[in-house]
Amino acid sequence: MATVYMGVDIGGTSTTAGLFDEHRRLLAKTTFSTLGNDAQYFGDPESFMDLLTLELTALTGHSRMQDIVAGVGIGVPGMVDPDRGFVGEATNLGWKDVALAKGMRMRMHVPVRIDHDVRTFAWGEVMAGAAKGYKNAICLTIGTGVAAGILIDGKLVRGAHHCAGEIGHDSIAGLATACPCGKTGCLETVVSASGIVRLAMERGLTPRTASRPLTAYDVYRYGAEGDPTAIGIFHYVAQLLAGKLETAIALLDPEIIVIGGGVSEAGELLFTPLTEILFRQFPWLEGKLRVVKNALGDEAALIGALYHVYP
Ligand SMILES: [Zn+2]
């Protein structure tokens, strides 16, 4: 009888898969390179699906997945139609129009459900993390880019084209930095790990270890030690993010804003200026609207993926 569930978090660099028992306890986990060595699977979803099937089979220790696995949930970094199980586009993977759920179902003979990675992250936090028990939430990830999963009246919002929450490429007036998407001044040219590194280099910060390039973590460490330039960068990041969140708050009236992803590890350096700016704009929300770091760490999307199939 099928009694275990699997969650998969496909990232641009690495993919993590977890095996959960019927009480949602994580039994085993594996991480592997999404695109293989030398990105050999870029633009080749069939080979990736073969690889994922091998990894999932190894994780269960069972050759006949259908005998023990009740369902597989997958979070995908791209445009996803969860009803059709279809990935419209995933630029980091070189995918276009991929029938991912069907492809995995045919390989494993178990039910498969997929959704966008940030909605999967949000669903994890809503079901088992910082937003558990809330009905109106905005769950953001800030890492390579920035995006949001939105919960309204207890329902995860997907939008007419499954693109709700894609605020990373919403532009900011006066900002002229070129974005890889082709536009200029997108939010994530500042509010992202690479944005923080770019600002730090422009403002003269150097790597903490001379043998490798400057990282966002270096900038965080400088800030934590009181470096005014680094503190100023996080303040600027908070200011631009707050500008977009103010509009989101006015439109959606959330009870909680949850922030995860690598940049959220900056903690107070980011959250203190962010909450100060937001509550200056919405003083009546102080004590009502919570702005918190995500609770499930980097496993939020893995756990969210589990809940795509957990009954
Ligand atoms: Zn952009």
Side-chain angles (χ1 to χ4, degrees):
M1 194 185 125
T3 52
V4 297
Y5 297 85
M6 304 194 89
V8 180
D9 174 22
I10 302 177
T13 308
S14 60
T15 293
T16 301
L19 179 69
F20 296 84
D21 71 8
E22 71 269 37
H23 305 294
R24 295 156 290 167
R25 283 184 300 232
L26 183 64
L27 301 173
K29 187 167 96 160
T30 188
T31 297
F32 58 95
S33 169
T34 302
L35 300 174
N37 301 324
D38 307 320
Q40 82 239 46
Y41 301 133
F42 185 84
D44 183 2
E46 296 295 327
S47 293
F48 173 80
M49 285 190 263
D50 290 342
L51 174 67
L52 180 58
T53 304
L54 281 176
E55 294 284 352
L56 294 182
T57 306
L59 198 59
T60 60
H62 241 263
S63 56
R64 278 173 53 90
M65 301 273 281
Q66 63 268 43
D67 290 347
I68 63 159
V69 180
V72 178
I74 306 177
V76 186
M79 286 173 63
V80 176
D81 178 344
D83 298 327
R84 293 170 58 220
F86 203 78
V87 182
E89 189 159 17
T91 44
N92 289 341
L93 311 177
W95 293 4
K96 204 166 169 48
D97 301 333
V98 178
L100 180 65
K102 186 181 172 197
M104 291 308 295
R105 204 159 43 232
M106 285 173 67
R107 284 167 172 81
M108 298 185 304
H109 312 288
V110 300
V112 177
R113 283 196 63 80
I114 70 171
D115 207 338
H116 186 291
D117 61 350
V118 75
R119 283 196 293 267
T120 303
F121 160 87
W123 199 230
E125 291 293 328
V126 167
M127 296 302 283
K132 189 175 178 188
Y134 291 88
K135 289 199 167 339
N136 293 279
I138 298 173
C139 301
L140 293 160
T141 56
I142 314 174
T144 317
V146 53
I150 302 158
L151 189 79
I152 298 178
D153 297 335
K155 197 170 182 310
L156 202 58
V157 176
R158 295 196 167 89
H161 312 95
H162 314 288
C163 293
E166 292 282 6
I167 56 163
H169 300 282
D170 191 10
S171 61
I172 289 171
L175 210 65
T177 314
C179 179
C181 78
K183 296 201 303 178
T184 54
C186 292
L187 179 66
E188 69 181 47
T189 63
V190 170
V191 183
S192 65
S194 59
I196 288 169
V197 169
R198 182 182 54 77
L199 290 169
M201 284 165 55
E202 284 171 10
R203 297 177 188 191
L205 292 183
T206 53
R208 291 178 74 91
T209 306
S211 58
R212 56 157 179 76
L214 185 73
T215 64
Y217 183 67
D218 287 340
V219 186
Y220 155 70
R221 290 278 303 279
Y222 284 128
E225 289 162 7
D227 181 282
T229 304
I231 292 170
I233 288 168
F234 280 103
H235 194 281
Y236 181 56
V237 168
Q239 187 190 338
L240 295 199
L241 179 60
K244 296 298 180 195
L245 283 178
E246 284 164 20
T247 307
I249 291 167
L251 284 169
L252 305 173
D253 187 19
E255 305 160 273
I256 187 167
I257 296 173
V258 178
I259 306 178
V263 173
S264 71
E265 299 296 331
E268 295 304 308
L269 279 172
L270 178 71
F271 283 81
T272 301
L274 180 65
T275 49
E276 274 174 16
I277 297 164
L278 289 177
F279 292 131
R280 211 180 300 140
Q281 291 298 318
F282 299 97
W284 60 275
L285 281 177
E286 194 151 10
K288 292 180 183 154
L289 171 65
R290 298 185 61 215
V291 182
V292 300
K293 177 153 169 31
N294 81 309
L296 301 176
D298 57 10
E299 283 186 354
L302 190 65
I303 292 165
L306 160 73
Y307 280 104
H308 289 331
V309 286
Y310 192 82

